[in-house]
Amino acid sequence: MRLIPRSFLTRTILMILIPLVIAQVIVANAFFGNHWSRVHDTLARTLAGEITTMMNFLDEGDTVAAEKMARSIGINATINETLKRPKHNDNHAHETGRLASELSKRLKRPANIYMDKGKRLVFVDIPTQDNKIATFGTSLYRIYSTSTEVFIIWLIGSILIVSILISPFIIMHTRSIRRIANAASRFGRGLDAPGFVPTGSKEIRNAAKSMITMKERLDRYNRTRTDMLNAVSHDLKAPLTRMRLGLETDSATKDDLIHDIDRMTEMVNGYLAFARGEAPEIEQATELPPMLTRIARDAAPTKEIITNFPDTPVQFYARPMALARAFSNIIENAARYAKSQIRITEHDHDETVEIIIEDDGPGIPDNRKKEALRPFVRLDDARGTDTGGTGLGLSIAQTAIENHGGQLFLENSELGGLRVRIVLPI
């Protein structure tokens, strides 16, 4: 038998209601248990004292005083020769037990107590000294308080009210999780989830956004693999065809063949670097200014390098080799197109570090910035015609940055060229 339900909805409701019920029971038992006992003891002692006083008057023969007292305290007192009562009395009932105990202490004769629960009345029969029966009738509320019962009803009612109020919120919470599970199932089968948007609490929305981001990265991964195959086929076919034609017609020179071979080697190395991705690397405490300064000095020895770093740069854990490759691609790209100047800036925030790399080159048109981040896409017509390359630099850098949980943005620089802004979590 399964004691713990499988459903998240049921588990959540139980997690809320069980502690609430336990707390209510503890409060009811600790406070109203003692309160109920004290109230009933007081009521029983009061009524037993009143009946004892009236019996003393009757024993002394002062019937008038007994009747007067009975009228003043709201008790119907009668003297009967005989009475038809049930075979068993209610001396041990929950409502009358305390009264019977008090009367047994005060009187030297038996007292029989009977209840009429329908009319909420209680009758006490006590034999007199002349062998008659004195009957005292009064309201059951004189010895039994229903405040505890009402309180218990309110406790149960409050639990029901809480259940009704929290159920819609838990159902909406559960529905958001169920939608994420359904979307994840479709994503896992390579399908899209039309209309799926993050909903629910902040944590659930963040989980949904992370899943959408993961789906987009997987889609981009699949697209880049297809693009890579197409690029290999296209880029290698042209130099191979040229080399074959040159050899068959004896028109190819040694320098031409070496140039084509170098070009093919460069492309193959780029494809292999992209296909391998990042090798496993242990995260280390990293400071960016020394790394960026070294890369800029090696990549652009003939350009003016302007740096703007904090006096005490922030340290955060990262994979330094992967970040170095990413920043090398970006800075080498800036050095290739910059006319004379490259500017590198770091801004440290509470939870992120922002790196800005700018150049004074031709830049990238706004309508092609998104395209520039795709692998195997060359924008040489926008940034020059003599640069070559495989179109992988920015794509590899973006992948490395995203693997660190960061983001890469292409913007326009005040210097006139491209502004690459990288945001990394600390």
Side-chain angles (χ1 to χ4, degrees):
M1 182 177 66
R2 178 176 292 275
L3 297 178
I4 301 178
R6 294 178 180 269
S7 169
F8 176 79
L9 174 62
T10 307
R11 289 187 178 190
T12 305
I13 292 176
L14 291 179
M15 287 172 58
I16 295 175
L17 292 186
I18 289 177
L20 177 62
V21 171
I22 293 175
Q24 298 278 43
V25 170
I26 292 174
V27 170
N29 184 65
F31 178 75
F32 276 90
N34 295 331
H35 171 76
W36 186 88
S37 179
R38 288 194 300 269
V39 168
H40 286 187
D41 287 342
T42 301
L43 293 175
R45 284 194 300 269
T46 301
L47 183 58
E50 293 169 348
I51 292 175
T52 300
T53 302
M54 287 184 287
M55 284 302 300
N56 290 335
F57 285 143
L58 292 175
D59 290 342
E60 294 171 358
D62 194 351
T63 306
V64 176
E67 291 177 350
K68 184 177 180 181
M69 179 180 178
R71 286 194 302 270
S72 66
I73 60 178
I75 294 178
N76 182 26
T78 60
I79 306 297
N80 304 284
E81 297 290 338
T82 59
L83 288 172
K84 292 183 179 180
R85 294 296 192 193
K87 184 177 181 181
H88 299 288
N89 59 35
D90 295 318
N91 284 25
H92 300 290
H94 177 69
E95 296 89 342
T96 58
R98 285 177 170 79
L99 177 61
S101 177
E102 289 293 330
L103 288 174
S104 67
K105 295 177 184 178
R106 298 168 186 265
L107 298 173
K108 302 301 182 181
R109 68 199 81 178
N112 296 313
I113 303 174
Y114 302 92
M115 286 188 298
D116 186 346
K117 291 187 177 180
K119 296 180 180 179
R120 307 298 289 177
L121 297 174
V122 62
F123 302 95
V124 181
D125 294 344
I126 303 174
T128 62
Q129 290 180 348
D130 54 359
N131 294 323
K132 295 181 181 180
I133 300 174
T135 300
F136 303 94
T138 187
S139 172
L140 184 61
Y141 296 119
R142 290 288 302 271
I143 60 171
Y144 184 78
S145 173
T146 59
S147 60
T148 301
E149 296 175 349
V150 173
F151 176 73
I152 293 175
I153 293 174
W154 273 106
L155 286 183
I156 298 174
S158 65
I159 293 173
L160 294 177
I161 292 172
V162 170
S163 302
I164 294 172
L165 291 177
I166 66 174
S167 293
F169 297 99
I170 297 177
I171 291 173
M172 290 188 293
H173 195 70
T174 306
R175 185 183 297 122
S176 300
I177 296 176
R178 190 182 301 115
R179 292 180 70 249
I180 291 179
N182 293 335
S185 177
R186 292 184 61 86
F187 291 163
R189 288 177 287 160
L191 303 175
D192 291 327
F196 174 70
V197 294
T199 59
S201 63
K202 178 181 178 181
E203 293 77 10
I204 294 179
R205 290 198 305 272
N206 289 339
K209 291 176 182 177
S210 298
M211 190 178 67
I212 293 173
T213 301
M214 180 185 68
K215 173 67 165 52
E216 292 173 349
R217 290 181 179 179
L218 289 175
D219 289 342
R220 187 170 67 245
Y221 175 85
N222 293 329
R223 286 197 306 269
T224 54
R225 290 301 182 264
T226 302
D227 291 344
M228 183 176 69
L229 293 176
N230 294 333
V232 170
S233 174
H234 177 271
D235 291 345
L236 295 184
K237 187 181 296 183
L240 286 173
T241 301
R242 186 167 55 249
M243 292 170 65
R244 182 182 183 86
L245 181 62
L247 291 174
E248 289 179 350
T249 59
D250 294 330
S251 61
T253 65
K254 180 179 179 180
D255 291 339
D256 292 335
L257 294 176
I258 292 176
H259 179 271
D260 286 335
I261 292 172
D262 291 340
R263 177 59 179 157
M264 291 171 61
T265 301
E266 179 186 356
M267 288 187 292
V268 170
N269 289 336
Y271 299 146
L272 291 177
F274 180 77
R276 283 194 300 265
E278 294 184 19
E281 185 181 357
I282 299 175
E283 290 189 348
Q284 302 176 18
T286 304
E287 280 189 6
L288 293 179
M291 175 192 300
L292 296 172
T293 302
R294 183 185 67 255
I295 294 173
R297 185 176 60 246
D298 296 340
T302 61
K303 304 293 172 63
E304 179 185 1
I305 307 297
I306 302 173
T307 58
N308 184 13
F309 298 138
D311 295 335
T312 306
V314 68
Q315 275 196 350
F316 63 100
Y317 280 88
R319 297 183 291 277
M321 292 181 61
L323 278 185
R325 284 195 296 270
F327 286 121
S328 292
N329 288 343
I330 297 171
I331 294 175
E332 287 173 1
N333 189 70
R336 182 178 300 117
Y337 296 106
K339 296 176 182 177
S340 61
Q341 193 176 89
I342 298 173
R343 183 166 64 190
I344 304 174
T345 307
E346 176 179 339
H347 297 294
D348 294 340
H349 306 288
D350 291 338
E351 297 182 356
T352 60
V353 57
E354 185 179 58
I355 302 297
I356 299 173
I357 301 172
E358 305 171 89
D359 64 68
D360 59 353
I364 297 177
D366 291 337
N367 61 349
R368 303 200 66 184
K369 284 186 171 64
K370 186 175 181 180
E371 184 182 359
L373 293 173
R374 291 185 56 191
F376 310 106
V377 174
R378 303 184 184 90
L379 302 180
D380 293 338
D381 56 338
R383 307 191 69 185
T385 58
D386 56 349
T387 56
T390 58
L392 289 171
L394 289 178
S395 179
I396 292 175
Q398 183 187 35
T399 300
I401 296 298
E402 289 181 347
N403 287 342
H404 281 80
Q407 293 178 291
L408 184 147
F409 304 94
L410 300 184
E411 301 169 348
N412 294 324
S413 170
E414 298 176 353
L415 302 179
L418 182 64
R419 182 177 188 258
V420 181
R421 183 166 60 90
I422 299 104
V423 180
L424 291 167
I426 296 177

